[in-house]
Amino acid sequence: PNHPILRPPPSLCFPQAMPSFTMASPYTILPLSLGLLLLTGMNSAADPKPTCPKNKQYPPHPQTIQYYVQYFPTVDASIILPPVHPNKSTFGMVRALASNFTKEEDIHSQHVGVIRGTETYTSTNPDFETILSISTVTYDDGVYNGTIQLHGQFNVKESSYETSVVGGTGDFRAVRGYATITFPFTSDSRIVYHHVLHFLG
């Protein structure tokens, strides 16, 4: 009778020390046994068992982190696209931004990362400027290291606002949550944004 060839799927991961298939009983008919062993050896040579990668352990990310963005309007932002109707509103304007951020409000405190992104002005009402903001936070405080994605909308006249945390990499892989943003310091040459990120998963 025809016997099926016992052949594991190549996608499965087996330990290196896993033995190959052997005879189930010493009473198996010798010709059939030799045939099965030969076929098993041929299959093993054709499809070698994959090596099981060791599972890398990642430290759990914190529930919150905070930092202070040191924003200098004259050097940290550049207009990519001008407004559609410059004489009426800022609608359609797109800016690229990149700023360093520190652990404390003091600009001379520990540097812990950079935030880069774009802002798209989406309101046609000059008295109610709404901005769509998409940014990547590159964070490294010596303990946690990775990137965090922020995505949200705010009004330029708000004293504080929230935005969404929609993902991350490294120690912040696949994080979700929200960020609260306030302005503890404002001047003509520098604005400090205080970001507090809350991770919900």
Side-chain angles (χ1 to χ4, degrees), residues 23 26-36:
M23 293 182 293
Y27 301 102
T28 306
I29 300 174
L30 183 59
L32 179 60
S33 302
L34 292 175
L36 287 174

Side-chain angles (χ1 to χ4, degrees), residues 13-30:
C13 188
F14 294 97
Q16 287 286 2
M18 182 178 179
S20 59
F21 297 103
T22 58
M23 293 182 293
S25 171
Y27 301 102
T28 306
I29 300 174
L30 183 59

Side-chain angles (χ1 to χ4, degrees), residues 56-66 101 103 110-113 138-148 169-173 199:
K56 184 176 179 181
Q57 298 297 322
Y58 293 93
H61 59 74
Q63 292 186 341
T64 62
I65 63 170
Q66 63 177 332
F101 57 81
K103 192 171 184 179
Q110 178 187 353
H111 176 269
V112 290
T138 304
Y139 187 90
D140 183 3
D141 64 356
V143 178
Y144 297 100
N145 183 297
T147 66
I148 305 164
T169 64
D171 292 334
F172 307 101
R173 180 175 294 178
F199 302 132

